[in-house]
């Protein structure tokens, strides 16, 4: 959750689990060639609390609202979700 500390966990790579973790539709933000952030696509629309501001691979700042998680790009296979 947005007010908790970071922690390392292993999660099942299913759409249902990813949506459960972020509390809604998922959005993938590429932070670097090897790291992505997965957050609630509608976090701002739903007025979720601001969690972090991050710099993305495409050189812009993204304000992340609500829960999110970070994972290695190599683990992310959109065609399997």
């Amino acid at each position: 959750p947005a007010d908790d500390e970071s922690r390392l966990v292993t999660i099942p790579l299913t759409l249902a689990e990813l949506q459960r973790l972020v509390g809604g539709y998922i959005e993938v933000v590429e932070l670097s060639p090897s790291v992505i952030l997965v957050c609630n696509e509608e976090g701002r629309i739903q007025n979720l609390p601001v969690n972090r501001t991050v710099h993305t691979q495409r050189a812009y700042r993204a304000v992340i609202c609500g829960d999110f998680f970070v994972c290695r790009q190599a683990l992310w296979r959109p065609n399997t979700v």
Side-chain angles (χ1 to χ4, degrees):
D3 57 353
D4 284 352
E5 292 186 22
S6 300
R7 59 190 181 277
L8 180 63
V9 297
T10 302
I11 60 171
L13 190 57
T14 65
L15 180 58
E17 181 63 11
L18 302 180
Q19 289 177 327
R20 186 189 70 75
L21 289 170
V22 301
Y25 296 118
I26 63 168
E27 177 179 358
V28 176
V29 179
E30 189 174 17
L31 300 178
S32 76
S34 61
V35 177
I36 60 168
L37 178 147
V38 180
C39 61
N40 185 324
E41 181 178 63
E42 298 178 331
R44 277 187 258 172
I45 295 170
Q46 296 175 358
N47 292 317
L48 297 178
V50 173
N51 195 325
R52 301 278 191 285
T53 300
V54 297
H55 294 276
T56 69
Q57 177 68 18
R58 297 183 182 196
Y60 70 89
R61 259 183 1 169
V63 177
I64 307 301
C65 297
D67 297 341
F68 71 91
F69 63 91
V70 177
C71 67
R72 292 187 310 230
Q73 182 88 315
L75 298 177
W76 181 254
R77 296 181 188 97
N79 294 333
T80 63
V81 175

